[in-house]
């Protein structure tokens, strides 16, 4: 989307940055200093989580091909953890799929924000849409130029996709050999990852705190009465609590907004 203050440049201007970014190849040199290091750290972190996911899925009784195929086709860490958590707890596939879809619906907004950075061809946009994650969106939105944004997306996205899938496969193979992953505490990775995903919002947004508190109460109350997976879906009713009261960011001790 063009902003109102931009002016149209002639389409055949050779020095135009947007034209070069749209048609040229992505290069490591297009990234600002330090960005590749930050991207590599995210690759490493997600690889550790991927190993945990693969081991938990297989250790919980799922066939090895389930986490591997899910990572290739779904490719959404929080949605995958939620689906596998529900399945291994005895929940049905419908509840697992519905929860995963709801958790991953946020990437629709990312797709709109990053559409111009994926490329102009339908092939690039279809492949790019599959690679959009919270991490890739964060790296892209932190860049100012079109060339830098495109490089940040494709370098972080392709590397993260490879790191995640290879680590999930390694974890699934390890889970098959280890058997009961609860002995190593890998089962704690599932709630730990989800908690890490929501902590920033809980810390900075009072509406998110109200919604999560209400959802937790609903889920705990419904857990003894309903099949596994259904209380998680009912917890979405907690979003109604976010509509009550003002949305206040966290403030510092001096009273100023952080």
């Amino acid at each position: 989307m063009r902003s109102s203050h931009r002016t149209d440049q002639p389409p055949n201007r050779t020095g135009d940055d947007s034209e070069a970014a749209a048609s040229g190849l992505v290069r490591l040199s297009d990234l600002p200093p330090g960005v590749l290091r930050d991207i590599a750290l995210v690759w490493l972190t997600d690889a550790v989580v991927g190993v945990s996911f693969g081991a938990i899925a297989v250790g919980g009784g799922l066939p090895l091909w389930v986490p591997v195929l899910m990572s290739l086709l779904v490719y959404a860490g929080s949605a995958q953890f939620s689906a596998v958590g529900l399945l291994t707890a005895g929940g049905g596939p419908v509840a697992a799929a519905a929860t995963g879809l709801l958790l991953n619906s946020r990437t629709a907004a990312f797709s709109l924000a990053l559409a111009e950075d994926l490329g102009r061809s339908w092939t690039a946009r279809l492949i790019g849409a599959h690679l959009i994650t919270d991490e890739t969106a964060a790296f892209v939105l932190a860049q100012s130029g079109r060339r830098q944004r495109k490089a940040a997306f494709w370098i972080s996205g392709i590397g993260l996709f490879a790191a995640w899938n290879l680590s999930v496969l390694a974890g699934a193979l390890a889970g098959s050999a280890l058997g009961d992953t609860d002995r190593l505490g890998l089962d704690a990775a599932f709630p730990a990852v989800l908690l890490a995903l929501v902590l920033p919002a809980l810390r900075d947004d009072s509406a998110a705190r109200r919604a999560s508190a209400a959802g937790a109460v609903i889920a705990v109350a419904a857990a003894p009465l309903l099949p596994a997976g259904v209380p998680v879906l009912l917890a979405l009713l907690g979003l109604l609590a976010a509509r009550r009261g003002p949305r206040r960011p966290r403030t510092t001790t001096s009273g100023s907004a952080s």
Side-chain angles (χ1 to χ4, degrees):
M1 181 183 295
R2 289 175 177 261
S3 61
S4 58
H5 64 272
R6 292 185 182 175
T7 57
D8 292 329
Q9 298 292 340
N12 60 348
R13 183 174 178 178
T14 57
D16 186 78
D17 180 67
S18 62
E19 288 291 332
S23 59
L25 296 175
V26 171
R27 298 172 298 183
L28 289 175
S29 59
D30 291 334
L31 290 175
V35 175
L36 182 60
R37 177 202 59 205
D38 296 339
I39 289 175
L41 290 175
V42 171
W43 292 344
L44 178 60
T45 303
D46 273 46
V48 173
V49 178
V51 170
S52 300
F53 170 74
I56 290 169
V58 174
L62 297 178
L64 185 146
W65 63 267
V66 171
V68 173
L69 190 63
M70 185 185 294
S71 295
L72 287 170
L73 300 181
V74 178
Y75 184 52
S78 58
Q80 290 179 227
F81 266 105
S82 297
V84 166
L86 289 173
L87 291 173
T88 55
V94 174
T99 303
L101 285 172
L102 288 170
L103 283 174
N104 216 35
S105 62
R106 68 189 185 282
T107 57
F110 294 157
S111 299
L112 295 175
L114 308 183
E116 292 186 359
D117 304 304
L118 306 186
R120 291 185 172 181
S121 68
W122 279 105
T123 302
R125 294 199 171 194
L126 285 174
I127 296 174
H130 189 58
L131 298 179
I132 291 177
T133 63
D134 298 341
E135 296 89 345
T136 56
F139 280 120
V140 172
L141 296 176
Q143 312 308 316
S144 56
R146 179 73 62 82
R147 187 188 297 271
Q148 291 78 18
R149 287 166 63 95
K150 184 177 180 180
F153 176 81
W154 287 107
I155 292 172
S156 65
I158 293 175
L160 189 60
F161 183 80
W164 175 257
N165 282 278
L166 290 174
S167 62
V168 168
L169 176 60
L173 293 173
S176 300
L178 293 173
D180 185 12
T181 56
D182 290 351
R183 294 176 303 171
L184 302 178
L186 291 179
D187 55 316
F190 169 58
V193 168
L194 294 184
L195 182 61
L197 289 171
V198 302
L199 272 179
L202 296 179
R203 183 177 62 247
D204 298 331
D205 194 331
S206 61
R209 291 194 292 271
R210 290 195 302 271
S212 60
V217 170
I218 294 172
V220 171
L225 307 174
L226 299 173
V230 177
V232 177
L233 296 178
L234 287 179
L236 293 172
L237 294 174
L239 292 173
L240 297 175
R243 300 175 60 89
R244 302 187 61 181
R247 181 183 296 270
R248 296 187 301 273
R250 185 185 62 166
T251 57
T252 61
T253 55
S254 60
S256 59
S258 58

